[in-house]
Amino acid sequence: MGGVTSTQQHSSATGRADDGSAQDPDPAPEHAYGWSWLAGVVAGLAGLALAELVALLAPAGAPLTAVGSWVIAVAPAAVINFGKEVLGFADKPILLAVVAVVALAIAGASGRLEYSRRGLGAIGPVLLAVIVIITVSRQADAGPLAYLPVLVGSVLAYLILRTLITTLHRWDPRKGAPAQGNRADARRGFLIMTGVITGLSILAGGVSRVRAGATAAARQARSRVRLPAATTPAEPIPEGADLGLDGLTPYVSDNATFYRIDTALQVPVVDPADWSLTIVGMVEREITLSFDDVLALPLSEHYVTLTCVSNEVGGNLAGNARWLGFPIRDLLARARPQSGADMVLSRSVDGFTAGTPLEVLTDPDRDAVLAIGMNGEPLPPEHGFPARLVVPGLYGYVSATKWVTELKVTSFAEDQGYWTPLGWSAHGPIKVASRIDTPSRAVDAGRVPVAGVAWAQHTGIDRVEVRVDQGPWREATLAETVGPDTWRQWTWEWDAEPGQHQLMVRATDADGTTQTSVEAPPAPDGATGWHTVDISVN
Ligand SMILES: Nc1nc2c(c(=O)[nH]1)N[C@H]1C(S)=C(S)[C@@H](COP(=O)(O)O)O[C@H]1N2
Ligand SMILES: [Mo]
């Protein structure tokens, strides 16, 4: 084996030496400069393509769109009108193309700089990264993740540039390149790398444009949705449901900060025009509804607090919103479930499923809805646009299917939801829980308001008690609430004396069940134990 390899190497080296004068690249300076520009452009293209690809996770961080929107914002009206009138529908793609060409020109110049002096080529990626970071920060929906694409992209661009320029130096005799054979290898390496990286970048860029185009279209479709007014509006929030204390969780959660649990790597984007809900399985009549069908139904609004089974004692995986939707029991009544069915397996476009007791969904006293609105807006994409289920009293994993597209009437014997084979209980009623939101750190001695939230969805909270340092339980004051399906704020005045203290809370539901002190982890059916915080009082 070794002999064969060495012979091959030998003959190939000889082959090159034989007709070396014809094949020796020996680039003249103009050519080397040209190749260095090309290296810069290719590295820039790779960085841009990767950034656009990563931006599929955080659309606000898509560099071309961010810079393009900024250009539109600062361009004089005359230029914008020229774009609209002369270029018409093509104005946006042309703008993005111009931005891309300018960026690649800067990247090309960086290649030339890196060729003359190692490290100098970082100027381009850094400059472009700064511009993109500034323009991304202007995007309304830019979270921390929105800066990831530009960081990953610019780092990759510079790494590729360095590699290409190093190879180019090995090819160039004036850069102290070694023997001719190695120069020929370097030349081949440079050309192959340039070609492969360009190909991959075009592929990645194409994929991300197609996907981003679909996302943008669906987001636009969402922005065009006009929710009808509720035929049955929600109960008004009573005065005094939100105590407005510093550090206390608001009674109604913001859509933007509402907790999120998804098994999907990417938020599914569904165009409502392509969406439908089908009721299948053990039913007398299969039915299918389009989004317009749902909009035409008499809708009602309900405040319901969602909770995740994975919430630890004292955790934040719960949120309260006003949901606009249609009662699932009325949908099921149209499909007429057959006897023997005891479960509805709801399925999402992303493959997630939840198994919900049929009895809960058909209960005339429980407002389980097919929801399309959240706090007065169409569902945010992250929370299931265009439609999801909301079922008071059950953990989300057995009830709250987002991007829901099918309800299969079936049985627990026959089917199971996504999480059940992974070690979670098939049934998931929410356990009574309470949490201390404030204080959460050191306080000054004296009167200190202790406050938090407690929930026992669908049963309701009757009592919350607090105790200090294992002392007697003291009854907290409960805030008002819309009803039993939401959490309730509570507060208690503490005469805090200097030193280290421990605060504990427990709640009792309207059935008289008090939270158990027995500590259990979230799996398989929800955590238990009393939330405890250690506070130093100065
Ligand atoms: N399609 C889909 N729906 C889903 C989930 C999911 O991963 N995929 N998670 C469920 C779980 S575990 C919970 S707690 C709630 C969370 O809803 P939210 O993300 O709107 O707060 O959604 C439920 N619906
Ligand atoms: Mo969950």
Side-chain angles (χ1 to χ4, degrees):
M1 283 294 274
V4 173
T5 311
S6 82
T7 311
Q8 279 178 343
Q9 276 174 352
H10 179 75
S11 70
S12 90
T14 320
R16 259 172 224 151
D18 282 344
D19 52 8
S21 49
Q23 281 204 1
D24 184 357
D26 191 21
E30 303 79 48
H31 284 132
Y33 290 158
W35 290 122
S36 72
W37 274 86
L38 179 71
V41 170
V42 167
L45 192 67
L48 178 61
L50 183 69
E52 290 287 339
L53 205 60
V54 175
L56 292 179
L57 296 172
L64 284 182
T65 317
V67 176
S69 323
W70 173 77
V71 171
I72 292 173
V74 299
V79 174
I80 300 289
N81 288 333
F82 171 83
K84 273 265 163 302
E85 283 157 22
V86 179
L87 306 174
F89 274 125
D91 65 342
K92 297 263 161 30
I94 289 176
L95 170 65
L96 295 184
V98 169
V99 170
V101 166
V102 171
L104 292 181
I106 294 174
S110 292
R112 175 66 187 82
L113 290 173
E114 183 75 17
Y115 182 75
S116 295
R117 192 171 172 164
R118 318 267 25 208
L120 216 53
I123 292 179
V126 168
L127 177 72
L128 291 170
V130 167
I131 294 173
V132 172
I133 287 171
I134 293 172
T135 56
V136 164
S137 71
R138 295 177 60 258
Q139 302 279 90
D141 49 346
L145 205 61
Y147 299 94
L148 190 66
V150 57
L151 295 179
V152 173
S154 47
V155 168
L156 179 85
Y158 185 63
L159 290 181
I160 288 182
L161 181 61
R162 251 194 111 91
T163 310
L164 286 177
I165 296 295
T166 303
T167 314
L168 188 56
H169 282 171
R170 285 204 288 115
W171 169 11
D172 184 351
R174 280 172 324 278
K175 288 284 174 178
Q180 253 180 26
N182 289 339
R183 263 169 39 210
D185 280 349
R187 168 172 170 273
R188 192 154 16 93
F190 180 85
L191 295 178
I192 290 176
M193 275 195 281
T194 319
V196 169
I197 294 170
T198 305
L200 287 179
S201 306
I202 289 173
L203 198 70
V207 166
S208 61
R209 284 328 294 173
V210 167
R211 189 41 227 199
T215 308
R219 284 191 185 256
Q220 263 179 20
R222 176 177 178 272
S223 70
R224 281 194 300 268
V225 169
R226 293 284 162 269
L227 291 180
T231 311
T232 316
E235 292 268 314
I237 298 177
E239 190 98 30
D242 200 326
L243 303 170
L245 292 174
D246 255 3
L248 173 60
T249 305
Y251 182 67
V252 180
S253 314
D254 266 354
N255 287 3
T257 52
F258 201 96
Y259 86 96
R260 268 179 65 191
I261 305 285
D262 310 324
T263 56
L265 215 52
Q266 275 180 11
V267 172
V269 248
V270 184
D271 188 326
D274 302 332
W275 177 88
S276 67
L277 177 74
T278 318
I279 304 188
V280 297
M282 299 169 68
V283 291
E284 296 300 330
R285 193 166 69 108
E286 290 197 353
I287 59 173
T288 298
L289 287 112
S290 69
F291 192 66
D292 285 336
D293 293 337
V294 178
L295 290 177
L297 293 169
L299 304 180
S300 50
E301 272 192 311
H302 312 269
Y303 285 96
V304 176
T305 300
L306 292 189
T307 304
C308 184
V309 69
S310 299
N311 195 46
E312 305 271 356
V313 171
N316 284 323
L317 300 181
N320 186 35
R322 191 175 84 238
W323 307 98
L324 173 72
F326 187 71
I328 298 168
R329 61 173 169 270
D330 293 340
L331 287 180
L332 289 171
R334 294 180 183 200
R336 297 201 302 276
Q338 294 166 350
S339 66
D342 65 358
M343 186 242 250
V344 172
L345 190 75
S346 49
R347 181 177 297 278
S348 163
V349 296
D350 67 359
F352 172 90
T353 52
T356 313
L358 181 62
E359 169 186 83
V360 166
L361 295 177
T362 50
D363 182 351
D365 295 323
R366 178 148 14 190
D367 297 315
V369 292
L370 172 73
I372 59 167
M374 180 177 184
N375 290 329
E377 289 179 33
L379 290 178
E382 297 77 11
H383 295 287
F385 180 78
R388 73 173 306 167
L389 305 187
V390 172
V391 182
L394 302 186
Y395 286 122
Y397 82 108
V398 289
S399 70
T401 303
K402 303 189 272 187
W403 316 286
V404 64
T405 181
E406 183 188 277
L407 302 182
K408 179 186 177 194
V409 177
T410 176
S411 68
F412 281 98
E414 199 63 36
D415 275 302
Q416 48 186 3
Y418 180 91
W419 285 106
T420 304
L422 299 171
W424 298 80
S425 169
H427 291 267
I430 298 177
K431 296 176 179 177
V432 52
S434 57
R435 179 173 86 202
I436 299 170
D437 287 342
T438 181
S440 58
R441 50 190 147 155
V443 293
D444 289 335
R447 282 257 175 227
V448 175
V450 179
V453 287
W455 60 79
Q457 286 91 325
H458 205 57
T459 310
I461 288 291
D462 248 19
R463 188 168 66 227
V464 169
E465 296 159 292
V466 182
R467 76 173 176 190
V468 183
D469 301 331
Q470 314 284 324
W473 288 103
R474 308 286 183 193
E475 194 156 342
T477 307
L478 291 178
E480 295 291 329
T481 179
V482 165
D485 292 344
T486 75
W487 57 21
R488 229 172 147 169
Q489 295 183 348
W490 58 265
T491 175
W492 180 72
E493 286 280 307
W494 177 30
D495 250 329
E497 285 169 10
Q500 286 294 324
H501 296 288
Q502 191 180 59
L503 296 172
M504 254 187 195
V505 67
R506 71 175 186 193
T508 302
D509 72 14
D511 285 344
T513 307
T514 299
Q515 265 180 275
T516 169
S517 63
V518 177
E519 288 178 16
D525 62 358
T528 59
W530 293 333
H531 188 211
T532 306
V533 293
D534 293 310
I535 303 291
S536 58
V537 181
N538 302 311

